[in-house]
Amino acid sequence: MFTDVTYKVILKGMKAKQEKDILHGITGSVNPGEVLALMGPSGSGKTTLLNLLGGRIMKPTVGGSITYNDQPYSKFLKSRIGFVTQDDVLFPHLTVKETLTYAALLRLPKSLTREEKEKRAMDVIYELGLERCQDTMIGGSFVRGVSGGERKRVCIGNEIIINPSLLFLDEPTSGLDSTTALRIVQMLQDIAEAGKTVVTTIHQPSSRLFHKFDKLILLGKGSLLYFGKASEVMIYFSSIGCSPLIAMNPAEFLLDLANGNVNDVSVPSELEDRVQMENAETQTRNGKPSPTDVHEYLVEAYETRVAESEKKKLMAALPLDEMLKSKVSSPKRNWGASWWRQYSILFCRGIKERRHEYFSWLRVTQVLSTAIILGLLWWRSDSSSPKGLQDQAGLLFFIAVFWGFFPVFTAIFTFPQERAMLSKERAADMYRLSAYFLARTMSDLPLDLILPILFLVVVYFMAGLTLDAGSFFLSLLAVFLCIVAAQGLGLAIGATLMDMKRATTLASVTVMTFMLAGGYFVKEVPVFVSWIRYMSFNYHTYKLLIKIQYKHKLSSVNGMIIDDGLKEVTALVIMVFGYRLLAYISLRRMKLPSAA
């Protein structure tokens, strides 16, 4: 139940802050077994109202009362709410079955076993008619997958898997053909008939869809134009003198009215009188009411004829759900899995999702072709002469640069690309941010190790670097440390800026600076900028590779003393953890739905 709900946003102008009213005193209710549709033109406030009712907006600029079984919003209630966003936020490389199984493992209560959670996922697949495509990838912009209607059903399945008491949906039929849209709405009606409460925004439904709704809220410019049974909406507007003059889809008629468009609509005498009075005052001859006149008339008509009686009816509203009677006010958040289980589930999901991206033929070709070109250019190089030594140092520097550059520009997209998914899943309290962050960064490591091994095997033996097992594996370890440090920098830049263009620009400048200060191009760096090289993973990796290759041959190379390389390893390890800590702090500070 919601009474006199208002919402304002603060606009930061050039001179002073201004407040803009988005919603003006919206009142209504919805009971178990009912589907409530929120309708209105674009910008009328229906998505904002849906977010308020679903607990997605909790700001001091919200006014009025929103209660669930006469109780306020709580953390326990959050676990009983399903919220389907307008955008289909799904991982493209996971199958339908994998997507719903991971949702079940993370969201269903700890009291259930893994087998019971997996069975629940299969039950939802059959309930939504997805059994034929359960082993098909979801797909995306560059990956072929399931149809639009099936994607939408998977999104709904992600939410109904927890058997919610309330289900909120934002434009569930957008982008779907009329037949698919009808099937989605019929499914929502079936969910409601099972004793659930369904609230959905809808933009312009067909007449068949419109008649599936039990209750309707019509909004115009943030004001309530109608609340009541969907079947009685035409009777109400006829009673205030607004009737279609031609056969029309009720939804089209209502949206025309909400927009202030009275073409093909009878104009009530009260409104005509008002227009004539305004024309007399302004000495104009335009006989048609303006959209503003129509809007004001509809708001006044609803407030004088219906609003008070509807508020009285709300006093006798039914409870939402038996399960909520005693627990709805509980302040405790209910995680579906322990921290370790969250981490392990997200780790497995991360590897399954990204293995296709890591081992795409394009990426494998890029790495192997670079390795072969390097091997040919430095074919059987000899470090016994000063010139040969200088050539080999150039190869080692290129390896340090290549495996510093490559991971940065892969990692900067990680959090900006997954921001929508992170926001959606955190809003549903699916996992702790710390479990997600650690799983997301750790699941890349096994994948990150395979291509460098292939690269180094080709380059190492073609170029004739030091042929002993110890030197090879230490070189591999140095490259791996460089990759993980560079990846950390990319994660930190991406998490801090959360904008791909700005992150790419900053990463380009940073990587270029690190490369130039890497100890190969400039040996004597001026004191006032010498600190840059100590932050450069290229510099430490290059020095480490030099020391590994020539530790048994030379005491110094280009003035660099050959020691055990402990300082370089320490510096890289500090970067590995330091950059990741910065990325985690940036994620925590990012405005995401609250979860600890």
Side-chain angles (χ1 to χ4, degrees), residues 459-516:
V459 171
Y460 202 92
F461 296 104
M462 286 182 73
L465 296 174
T466 304
L467 294 175
D468 70 71
S471 297
F472 174 78
F473 286 110
L474 286 174
S475 298
L476 182 62
L477 180 62
V479 169
F480 187 57
L481 273 175
C482 178
I483 289 169
V484 182
Q487 191 184 60
L489 175 65
L491 292 171
I493 291 173
T496 303
L497 298 180
M498 276 296 173
D499 178 89
M500 291 189 189
K501 286 185 179 179
R502 289 193 298 158
T504 304
T505 303
L506 179 58
S508 301
V509 174
T510 306
V511 169
M512 190 68 69
T513 305
F514 282 2
M515 181 184 74
L516 293 173

Side-chain angles (χ1 to χ4, degrees), residues 31-34 56 76-84 107-109 120 124 127-128 155-169 188 190-199 320-324 428:
N31 301 318
E34 292 179 341
R56 296 298 173 104
F76 172 80
L77 182 63
K78 195 174 186 180
S79 66
R80 304 292 305 151
I81 289 178
F83 198 106
V84 181
R107 298 190 69 180
L108 290 175
R120 173 60 183 157
V124 168
E127 186 180 336
L128 299 181
C155 289
I156 295 171
N158 263 334
E159 301 304 316
I160 68 169
I161 207 155
I162 60 170
N163 194 26
S165 300
L166 295 122
L167 180 62
F168 295 92
L169 305 100
L188 298 182
D190 294 340
I191 292 169
E193 286 174 359
K196 308 304 174 190
T197 305
V198 178
V199 182
L320 286 172
D321 186 301
E322 288 295 321
M323 287 186 70
L324 298 180

Side-chain angles (χ1 to χ4, degrees), residues 234 238 242-254 256 261-266:
M234 299 302 287
S238 295
C242 298
S243 301
L245 297 175
I246 59 172
M248 293 177 74
N249 172 359
E252 284 184 49
F253 166 71
L254 295 174
D256 277 351
N261 177 12
V262 288
N263 294 333
D264 303 318
V265 175
S266 63

